[in-house]
Amino acid sequence: QVQLAESGGGLVQPGGSLRLSCAASGFTLDYYAIAWFRQAPGKEREGVSCITSRDGRTYYADSVKGRFTISRDNAKSMVYLQMNSLKPEDTAVYYCARSGTNCSGHYFPVTDYWGQGTQVTVSS
């Protein structure tokens, strides 16, 4: 079965770093774009970053551009989100999700499978 599993979340101080991992199974990662989303309490889920299926082109929300880096390792069926210079407003549950269409520009793709999420808390 198709599965996505996030890990790497935790509690960090402002200015700190975390690397989130998304382990994919049950499908060939090469054929899918993967996006990271986040949802903070009381707020709507928002797109954070996306990486395309083949060329590995990357896209970021303006709020994280320059601080976060998305990458993928298709051979290992892994997608990562390196988060640096974390801010309290980055606090949220982070999800990775699969898409059969590619992300581009300011648009995030329609997704079909999601992981269960990993909590990121940025606080002093």
Side-chain angles (χ1 to χ4, degrees):
Q1 62 177 346
V2 173
Q3 286 189 306
L4 297 167
E6 304 93 339
S7 62
L11 174 64
V12 297
Q13 293 186 335
S17 298
L18 284 173
R19 190 183 76 158
L20 305 184
S21 298
C22 174
S25 61
F27 66 99
T28 301
L29 187 61
D30 308 51
Y31 297 155
Y32 295 90
I34 301 293
W36 286 95
F37 294 80
R38 66 186 182 187
Q39 187 167 28
K43 298 180 66 177
E44 294 184 347
R45 186 171 296 173
E46 62 177 352
V48 176
S49 184
C50 186
I51 186 164
T52 59
S53 59
R54 278 287 191 170
D55 296 332
R57 298 186 301 277
T58 59
Y59 301 89
Y60 301 92
D62 290 340
S63 60
V64 306
K65 191 172 185 178
R67 300 187 297 119
F68 291 10
T69 303
I70 190 171
S71 62
R72 67 190 296 157
D73 186 337
N74 290 334
K76 296 181 178 180
S77 295
M78 296 289 292
V79 179
Y80 306 98
L81 184 67
Q82 178 67 45
M83 306 186 297
N84 299 325
S85 302
L86 284 162
K87 304 175 181 180
E89 51 263 44
D90 295 319
T91 296
V93 177
Y94 284 72
Y95 303 87
C96 61
R98 189 186 81 168
S99 178
T101 60
N102 268 325
C103 36
S104 63
H106 298 286
Y107 302 100
F108 280 82
V110 176
T111 58
D112 55 3
Y113 287 91
W114 294 70
Q116 295 186 34
T118 185
Q119 176 72 49
V120 173
T121 302
V122 185
S123 177
S124 59

